[in-house]
Amino acid sequence: MDAKHSSIAEQSIPAQLLAWYDVAARDLPWRSRPGQAADPYRVWLSEVMLQQTTVATVRPRFSAWVDRWPSVAALAAADEADVMAAWAGLGYYARARNLVKAARAVVADHGGAFPDTEAELRALPGLGAYTAAAVAAIAFGERAVVVDANVERVVARLFAIRTPLPAARPAIRAAADTITPDARAGDFAQAMMDLGATICTSRRPRCLLCPIRADCRAHAAGIEERLPAKAAKRAKPQRYGTIFWLERGACVLLVRRPDKGLLGGMRALPTGPWGEAAPGLAGAPVAGRWRLLDDRVAHGFTHFDLELALATGVAQAGDEPAGEGSEWWPIADLPRAGLPTLFAKAATAITTATPSTGDRE
């Protein structure tokens, strides 16, 4: 395709895509209808929740969240521990802390109204380039180049960008810039997301249904399923640790993890150190008789895989674990503690393998 015809095709893409979106837009609880004004709070919250998380997972969690904290002012006034507990299971827990920080900044520095430009949004805590662009475009109609994983895939195929990810990202963003319109920027961004989620999928794309198939260079070359190319993944290191389940009556010991680091600020079961070799009972919250179960709990983090042994024990008279944030939590009420997925899996494994002291004779 020569430069002249390429330019004409790029100009036609927004109109074709928006016409498709007006008919086929997904009905999502945080989204306004095509052409209608969007609520910046709901847009921002949904974009943060959807990072590395599926729509199916986020949909009910979003609805419960806005029932509890319906506005940015309500979230700014929330107790951070409650917010962290409500976030449990959505992963990347620093996002929850930054939600509270950003909400408080909006209230304190902007009179409770979100700033309406990409640059000002970028200055809020936790708003990276993608989130700021998405809120600016969707909530305020500012022309902004919005590139999430779905858009990345659509653009890589549309322009047949063969450089493997992540090295291809600058070229993908530059190409996305050439087709981003001045008008209806938010609808265009959401149309691109919907196209990637429903038609231009990572496997078996439904090209016959694509409204911009005629302009897709990868489809013309028959290589759409090979794009975007990805660099070979490096093997992640394996780490090991032990989770300690200490009962006292009908309660179990929970601790508050340090604010900085993985799962920062979350309630959790105590653990020993995480290292290259299994630490056994090192780091147990109290001295005493511990029983190691046969079960293990595995969990994958971004930079390493973790396997945790499970140790159970019963607190003796005088056993009071040191450390700020320790608390005895009713086992029957454990779902309300907001444990991260890793510790929720461990709790399920332990309570399935052995009854609590309250059930023992």
Side-chain angles (χ1 to χ4, degrees), residues 78-138:
D79 183 276
E80 186 171 308
D82 291 339
V83 173
M84 296 297 287
W87 191 266
L90 290 173
Y92 295 88
Y93 293 92
R95 291 181 294 166
R97 291 194 296 273
N98 283 330
L99 279 173
V100 177
K101 291 177 183 177
R104 290 173 180 170
V106 168
V107 170
D109 302 334
H110 299 277
F114 275 87
D116 59 5
T117 68
E118 185 177 0
E120 289 178 300
L121 288 163
R122 187 76 171 82
L124 293 175
L127 268 76
Y130 165 75
T131 305
V135 176
I138 297 169

Side-chain angles (χ1 to χ4, degrees), residues 2-297:
D2 61 36
K4 178 180 178 181
H5 287 93
S6 175
S7 177
I8 293 172
E10 289 165 14
Q11 292 172 17
S12 70
I13 288 169
Q16 294 168 342
L17 196 57
L18 287 167
W20 170 80
Y21 180 71
D22 288 341
V23 175
R26 288 181 293 174
D27 183 13
L28 301 172
W30 48 84
R31 180 181 283 182
S32 60
R33 298 302 300 164
Q36 295 179 344
D39 179 350
Y41 172 66
R42 296 171 76 91
V43 173
W44 164 65
L45 177 61
S46 67
E47 290 297 341
V48 175
M49 282 188 166
L50 286 164
Q51 292 169 22
Q52 305 295 322
T53 312
T54 65
V55 167
T57 297
V58 169
R59 189 188 289 266
R61 301 294 297 274
F62 175 88
S63 297
W65 187 288
V66 294
D67 283 346
R68 186 172 184 181
W69 298 297
S71 67
V72 69
L75 182 58
D79 183 276
E80 186 171 308
D82 291 339
V83 173
M84 296 297 287
W87 191 266
L90 290 173
Y92 295 88
Y93 293 92
R95 291 181 294 166
R97 291 194 296 273
N98 283 330
L99 279 173
V100 177
K101 291 177 183 177
R104 290 173 180 170
V106 168
V107 170
D109 302 334
H110 299 277
F114 275 87
D116 59 5
T117 68
E118 185 177 0
E120 289 178 300
L121 288 163
R122 187 76 171 82
L124 293 175
L127 268 76
Y130 165 75
T131 305
V135 176
I138 297 169
F140 299 110
E142 180 181 359
R143 185 191 183 279
V145 181
V146 182
V147 183
D148 70 354
N150 282 317
V151 176
E152 195 170 71
R153 183 167 58 255
V154 170
V155 173
R157 290 171 174 171
L158 188 60
F159 290 85
I161 297 172
R162 303 183 189 223
T163 304
L165 292 171
R169 287 190 173 128
I172 289 173
R173 191 186 187 285
D177 194 5
T178 67
I179 58 172
T180 300
D182 294 329
R184 296 187 66 187
D187 285 347
F188 177 78
Q190 292 175 115
M192 291 284 280
M193 296 174 191
D194 281 10
L195 188 71
T198 64
I199 290 178
C200 194
T201 49
S202 57
R203 295 181 181 179
R204 297 182 180 177
R206 303 160 69 196
C207 297
L208 290 178
L209 300 178
C210 180
I212 54 176
R213 178 184 71 250
D215 298 316
C216 181
R217 300 178 192 176
H219 179 68
I223 59 171
E224 59 267 33
E225 292 197 56
R226 288 155 49 189
L227 298 179
K230 296 181 180 179
K233 289 185 178 180
R234 295 181 180 179
K236 290 195 290 186
Q238 179 71 53
R239 294 184 185 175
Y240 301 88
T242 303
I243 282 181
F244 296 95
W245 177 275
L246 183 65
E247 292 188 22
R248 186 175 72 178
C251 296
V252 64
L253 177 68
L254 298 184
V255 297
R256 183 79 65 178
R257 292 184 62 82
D259 287 339
K260 294 184 178 180
L262 286 171
L263 311 176
M266 301 294 293
R267 286 193 187 100
L269 296 166
T271 75
W274 297 352
E276 295 180 1
L281 299 177
V286 298
R289 296 175 61 186
W290 291 94
R291 181 166 71 95
L292 282 167
L293 304 183
D294 293 333
D295 292 341
R296 298 288 187 272
V297 171

